Amino acid sequence: MEKQLRLLNVRYGLATNSSSSHSLIFLRPGEQLGDKDIWGDGYGWNHFLLASKEEKLKYLAAQVYQAFEELHPDLRVAVVRAILDDASLEVDPNNYIDHQSTWSFPRAFGKKYVDADFIREVIASVRRNGVVIAGGNDDEAPTWKKKYDNRWYPRMLTETANNQIVCRNDGNGQWVVFNKDNGNKLRFSVVEMLSNDHKNDGWISSGDASNHHSPAPELVDLKITDYCPYDCPFCYQTSTRSGVHGESRNIYAIISALAEMKVFEIAFGGGEPTLHPKFGEFLQYAYRQDIVANFTTRNLAWLSEKDNHYLDYAGAFAYSVDEPSGVEALVQALDKRDISHHRANVHVVMGAQPIETFRNILAKAREFTLRVTLLGYKMAGRGGEFTPFDYSTWLETATDLQKSDQCPTLSIDTLLAKEYEARISQVLPDWMYHTVDGRHSAYIDAISMKIAPDSYSGEAGQGLGESRDYSGSIRKAFSEWQTGLKR
Ligand code: SF4
């Protein structure tokens, strides 16, 4: 049975173009290329279109050969033959692929080397009929480019070097690929292709991503303290100045369990996580386990400490603001230490400020090229005692700002996506957003030692148990709530 790739979900954008453009084109059922191989000299800037099994195999061999450049040439040939399952395959070491179109095959999680199983599965799906490999460049478009332009392979695998792409095999042909540099995440499945499969539309799945269950979360929101000095009246965590910190040994054990499960990211939160006395050590510990650690804070004091190393070990951090001056304070603190604005994200709780103030926050963030995440208003904790400002016109406000180029890059959380799903679905395909937490993520409270699909819906959560090996209880809780989830 032939295998087919299906894209299930993408988080964040796909990469931009580069000079040479090598792509995979997934033909629709019954669609004919109408041409045999169009072949030039090597796989550089020239235009080529590889349709036959033989020519595709030569190209794939060249890609795999380049992926193992640290090995001795003889060993590289052996590896290519093993991966392509052809012991007598002729591998031409001089088969050059332009450096801008070389695939960066992902590393196995926690390891230094590329994941051979990933390469095998993806390559098997490319070798099947109905997939062609196309080459060209940005300067002159070949005639076939226009016809297939909407089916270019997402450039994610060619955009990053330095071993920053990792992958996880979720079983049943499902893979998740995560770019640690920019946070792009791609979930896809390699499924058996049925001859009467009329759903096939290139590589974009028309199937429902919510039918695909993972054995473990990709992201865990980890509450490490209930202490917070900021007294926000709408705080859904009800954190206070008398809140307690999570026990360090529990937090280390949770991070170890998440690494064992190949969880890509931890979002440290609280309370105010930067005020946990061991916060810096937790960041380092996660970093050393190949996990990207991010955090949410309302505190900027650590940024002005000269010897603070949080950002040496963290991916990015979110700073919560409720007025434009908060954005200015963040920019000042970043610029003082010469830290790129891309390391920070502005968080805005919808309803925590009047809509005019919301508008001014967005415009200010745009002015300083800061990304903004909008968080739906949560009724849990003190959130239920505070009357939020009306934010029902937020979409119009953002659209207005966009017209005058004053709108920053925006993300929204699942709660806001759910609240405004009817309107959002008119402008975005469903694989670009979620309206349910817990599908690929989990919330762990390291103070109460409980796990739940999210932090705000009032679910009491399940206890992590007495044993310090928490991976079993995390997997169990995660898999139990999967069956009840709807998109
Ligand atoms: S909302 Fe955040 S910053 Fe405000 S009190 Fe709660 S934990 Fe502290």
Side-chain angles (χ1 to χ4, degrees), residues 241-252:
R241 292 157 195 265
S242 53
V244 298
H245 296 309
E247 272 190 52
S248 299
R249 60 185 183 149
N250 288 340
I251 295 169
Y252 284 123

Side-chain angles (χ1 to χ4, degrees), residues 116-185:
D117 288 340
F118 175 91
I119 301 180
R120 256 188 221 106
E121 284 217 14
V122 169
I123 279 183
S125 67
V126 174
R127 287 172 76 173
R128 73 172 176 85
N129 288 328
V131 180
V132 293
I133 300 170
N137 61 69
D138 294 344
D139 292 351
E140 33 165 356
T143 48
W144 42 263
K145 183 173 190 294
K146 199 167 175 217
K147 180 173 176 190
Y148 298 115
D149 216 16
N150 59 345
R151 278 176 282 158
W152 289 99
Y153 183 71
R155 305 287 309 206
M156 182 171 175
L157 295 184
T158 57
E159 66 183 357
T160 307
N162 304 327
N163 248 0
Q164 286 302 296
I165 302 179
V166 289
C167 66
R168 188 176 87 181
N169 185 349
D170 273 0
N172 297 325
Q174 270 196 78
W175 288 89
V176 194
V177 181
F178 177 58
N179 185 327
K180 294 179 73 172
D181 259 354
N182 60 17
N184 283 356
K185 195 157 54 185

Side-chain angles (χ1 to χ4, degrees), residues 228-232 234-239 270-272 298 320 382:
C228 185
Y230 295 110
D231 304 322
C232 303
F234 49 81
C235 178
Y236 76 95
Q237 289 281 4
T238 324
S239 294
E272 177 49 62
R298 200 176 168 91
S320 312
R382 289 203 293 271

Side-chain angles (χ1 to χ4, degrees), residues 380-419:
R382 289 203 293 271
E385 296 158 19
F386 179 79
T387 306
F389 292 95
D390 178 13
Y391 58 91
S392 57
T393 55
W394 71 272
L395 255 172
E396 288 79 2
T397 303
T399 310
D400 261 10
L401 284 173
Q402 206 170 24
K403 284 178 192 154
S404 52
D405 195 24
Q406 287 182 285
C407 191
T409 302
L410 286 181
S411 314
I412 58 174
D413 72 354
T414 43
L415 188 62
L416 193 62
K418 187 174 180 185
E419 202 179 341

Side-chain angles (χ1 to χ4, degrees), residues 6 16 37 118 207 237 282 391 424 481:
R6 281 210 170 155
T16 53
D37 298 321
F118 175 91
Q237 289 281 4
F282 298 150
Y391 58 91
I424 291 167
W481 75 58

